């Protein structure tokens, strides 16, 4: 197992290429199950989760071929062909490692007429929004059974049929599953209270490139006119707005200036607004954004919420940044119940953070100090790296396999803009 070692205190300056979006890639990969023709996805990030999803699809009979791009390059192209689905089961060993595996549910029911998918992480269904995925499939006519930790779904004779799916709360994953299933359903499907994230738009655009007919893209109501079949396509994954936001925080916390090549301002409005309120200068430039930190950071009051509001996936990174702000910041986490696991680790580095329920109060300190810290999840891992970039002395971040799930070759990108960072074996 590896660890990342950071010797902090360096001002970052230069250009960082933004990779394809992890969350979009994991949504586009199961689209291959919807057609017997090749689907080529470009700008796929080289991430553990992408590789894991590829292995899951391989087990279902999907062939995958990497095309172009040397190992030294960021991103790659992958062609997926599901001319024959040989298995409709997503086993526990695969799904427990990656909750996005639930996204094979809709495509499998729609194309193969059945699916058997492990409950993600073996969790109780009421505690996580898997029930919304299942209700969406039931609205399209599927029969659902749950036994021994698995969901068994069967389409009615003649396949899924169009229906109305009304989500009581916004769910990105359930919206994605509904869109993919509805694209092959018989008739018209209406999805109300649909998620509006840029990754949802990316999925719709990929499905339309495959021949789907979708109206209302980017809105709360999406209408899908089901087709008997979809065809192959060649599609590029959108840039990762969370990676871009994370590196923007790196510029902020080190008082640096970074060009985020490929970042799209339209996908990051809430993040950019928050950076501006914190005292950063964010400038649109040809093909990306430039973020510059040239003074003491200002405190913020932020609350996470579904797009277009401030994303939960940026909460931990902003907390690290605000640990050095001039005053007290208040963060409220409304999406996940237990997303402050990074707080004790930041405290080991000198951060002053107090939590009560879903609210965290971050009182800015004069400086942070390097320490041995333990990553607990993907975004928490990045918050520790950010803190290490600004801290005096050496920081060692353990369990960085979390980072490998969502940040393509992070240490290489940061080294290229002046960070003293390296990966080494965790002995």
């Amino acid at each position: 197992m590896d660890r990342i070692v950071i010797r902090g205190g360096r001002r970052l300056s230069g250009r960082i290429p933004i990779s394809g979006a992890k969350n979009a890639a994991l949504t586009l990969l199961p689209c291959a199950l919807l057609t017997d023709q090749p689907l080529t996805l470009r700008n796929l990030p080289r991430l553990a989760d992408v590789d894991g999803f590829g292995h899951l699809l391989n087990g279902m009979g999907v062939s995958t071929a990497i095309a172009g791009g040397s190992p030294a390059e960021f991103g790659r192209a992958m062609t997926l062909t599901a001319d024959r689905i040989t298995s409709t089961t997503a086993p526990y060993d695969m799904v427990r490692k990656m909750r996005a595996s639930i996204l094979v549910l809709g495509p499998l029911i729609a194309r193969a007429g059945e699916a058997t998918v492990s409950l993600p992480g073996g969790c109780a269904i009421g505690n996580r929004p898997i029930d919304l995925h299942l209700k969406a499939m039931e609205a399209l006519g599927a029969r659902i059974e749950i036994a021994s930790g698995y969901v068994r779904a069967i389409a009615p004779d003649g396949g899924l049929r169009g229906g109305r799916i009304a989500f009581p709360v916004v769910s990105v994953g359930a919206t994605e599953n509904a869109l993919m299933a509805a694209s092959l359903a018989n008739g018209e499907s209406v999805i109300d209270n649909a998620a509006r994230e840029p990754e949802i738009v990316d999925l719709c655009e990929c499905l339309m490139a495959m021949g789907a007919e979708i109206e209302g893209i980017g809105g709360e109501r999406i209408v899908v006119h089901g087709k008997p079949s979809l065809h192959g396509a060649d599609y590029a994954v959108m840039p990762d707005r969370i990676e871009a936001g994370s590196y923007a925080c790196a510029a902020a916390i080190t008082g640096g200036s970074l060009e985020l090549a490929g970042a799209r301002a339209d996908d990051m409005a809430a993040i950019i607004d928050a950076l501006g309120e914190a005292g950063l200068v964010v400038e649109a430039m040809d093909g990306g954004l430039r973020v510059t930190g040239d003074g003491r950071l200002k405190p913020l009051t932020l609350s996470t919420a579904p797009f277009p509001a401030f994303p939960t996936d940026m909460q931990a990174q902003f907390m690290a940044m605000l640990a050095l702000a001039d005053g007290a910041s208040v963060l409220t986490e409304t999406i996940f119940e237990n997303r402050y696991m990074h707080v004790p680790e930041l405290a080991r580095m000198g951060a002053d953070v107090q939590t009560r329920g879903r609210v965290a109060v971050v009182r800015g300190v004069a400086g942070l100090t390097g320490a041995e810290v333990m990553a607990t999840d993907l975004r928490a891992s990045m918050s520790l790296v950010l803190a290490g970039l600004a801290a005096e002395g050496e920081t060692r971040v353990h369990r960085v396999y979390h980072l490998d799930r969502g940040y393509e070759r992070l240490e290489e990108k940061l080294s290229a803009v002046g960070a003293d960072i390296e990966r080494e074996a965790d002995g």
Side-chain angles (χ1 to χ4, degrees):
M1 194 177 296
D2 294 346
R3 64 189 172 200
I4 286 180
V5 181
I6 308 165
R7 287 164 283 274
R10 293 194 175 193
R11 181 179 184 272
L12 303 187
S13 179
R15 177 182 182 274
I16 292 182
I18 300 304
S19 298
K22 164 190 177 281
N23 290 340
L26 297 181
T27 302
L28 300 181
L29 285 165
C31 289
L33 294 167
L34 294 169
T35 178
D36 60 3
Q37 298 179 19
L39 171 64
T40 297
L41 297 176
R42 303 188 184 278
N43 198 34
L44 270 180
R46 299 171 186 263
L47 299 172
D49 273 9
V50 172
D51 291 340
F53 212 121
H55 294 321
L56 173 63
L57 293 175
N58 290 153
M60 296 174 175
V62 181
S63 67
T64 52
I66 304 298
S70 70
E73 295 176 336
F74 296 108
R76 56 186 171 177
M78 180 185 292
T79 298
L80 305 98
T81 306
D83 51 356
R84 190 169 66 92
I85 295 177
T86 59
S87 172
T88 57
T89 298
Y92 172 72
D93 282 347
M94 294 296 295
V95 179
R96 72 180 178 86
K97 300 174 185 176
M98 184 173 52
R99 288 184 54 84
S101 301
I102 193 68
L103 294 177
V104 302
L105 181 68
L108 285 174
I109 304 170
R111 172 136 177 248
E114 63 179 23
T116 302
V117 180
S118 171
L119 293 172
C123 64
I125 199 166
N127 297 335
R128 302 295 290 270
I130 306 305
D131 58 327
L132 299 183
H133 297 248
L134 304 186
K135 288 176 181 177
M137 298 304 104
E138 288 178 326
L140 299 178
R143 186 173 75 253
I144 305 292
E145 300 173 356
I146 300 174
S148 303
Y150 279 81
V151 173
R152 170 73 169 161
I154 302 174
D157 293 340
L160 295 177
R161 58 178 181 269
R164 180 174 180 268
I165 302 166
F167 291 120
V169 295
V170 174
S171 169
V172 174
T175 300
E176 291 165 343
N177 245 331
L179 282 165
M180 288 186 281
S183 68
L184 288 182
N186 298 309
E188 179 183 282
S189 297
V190 177
I191 304 172
D192 280 322
N193 201 23
R196 300 164 58 191
E197 272 69 6
E199 293 80 9
I200 297 290
V201 175
D202 210 40
L203 170 61
C204 289
E205 291 178 346
C206 180
L207 289 171
M208 291 207 310
M210 298 172 67
E213 185 179 347
I214 305 173
E215 300 172 6
I217 296 173
E220 295 179 356
R221 166 172 283 199
I222 301 176
V223 179
V224 183
H225 302 277
K227 298 291 184 179
S229 63
L230 299 181
H231 53 69
D234 190 314
Y235 190 80
V237 181
M238 65 174 282
D240 197 320
R241 61 193 176 103
I242 304 301
E243 184 193 33
S246 299
Y247 289 129
C249 289
I253 203 167
T254 66
S257 181
L258 294 176
E259 176 189 346
L260 308 177
R264 298 195 315 212
D266 289 348
D267 297 338
M268 301 173 59
I271 299 172
I272 291 171
D273 287 347
L275 289 168
E277 290 177 20
L280 280 295
V281 177
V282 183
E283 303 168 283
M285 54 189 306
D286 188 24
L289 298 171
R290 178 172 291 281
V291 180
T292 303
D294 55 2
R296 184 73 170 169
L297 294 165
K298 300 175 184 177
L300 299 175
T301 298
L302 287 175
S303 180
T304 65
F307 188 87
F310 188 82
T312 181
D313 278 354
M314 284 301 305
Q315 175 259 113
Q317 299 92 307
F318 264 69
M319 181 181 287
M321 179 184 81
L322 294 170
L324 293 176
D326 188 13
S329 299
V330 179
L331 305 180
T332 303
E333 174 58 60
T334 71
I335 307 298
F336 293 111
E337 297 176 1
N338 190 24
R339 206 160 196 183
Y340 289 141
M341 291 187 291
H342 49 286
V343 170
E345 300 304 300
L346 287 174
R348 289 172 55 80
M349 302 178 70
D352 183 354
V353 184
Q354 301 296 321
T355 62
R356 178 172 293 181
R358 292 176 177 261
V359 178
V361 177
V362 186
R363 294 179 175 84
V365 296
L368 299 173
T369 304
E372 300 264 353
V373 290
M374 190 78 69
T376 55
D377 60 64
L378 172 56
R379 306 307 172 185
S381 304
M382 189 63 185
S383 75
L384 301 178
V385 169
L386 291 170
L389 292 172
E392 178 181 354
E394 185 174 272
T395 297
R396 298 189 178 197
V397 183
H398 299 268
R399 295 175 63 183
V400 296
Y401 60 84
H402 291 294
L403 280 168
D404 295 336
R405 293 181 45 237
Y407 291 92
E408 183 177 19
R409 302 214 296 265
L410 172 138
E411 64 273 17
E412 293 180 36
K413 292 187 178 184
L414 287 174
S415 292
V417 294
D420 186 349
I421 181 172
E422 62 183 344
R423 179 181 293 248
E424 61 181 34
D426 196 350

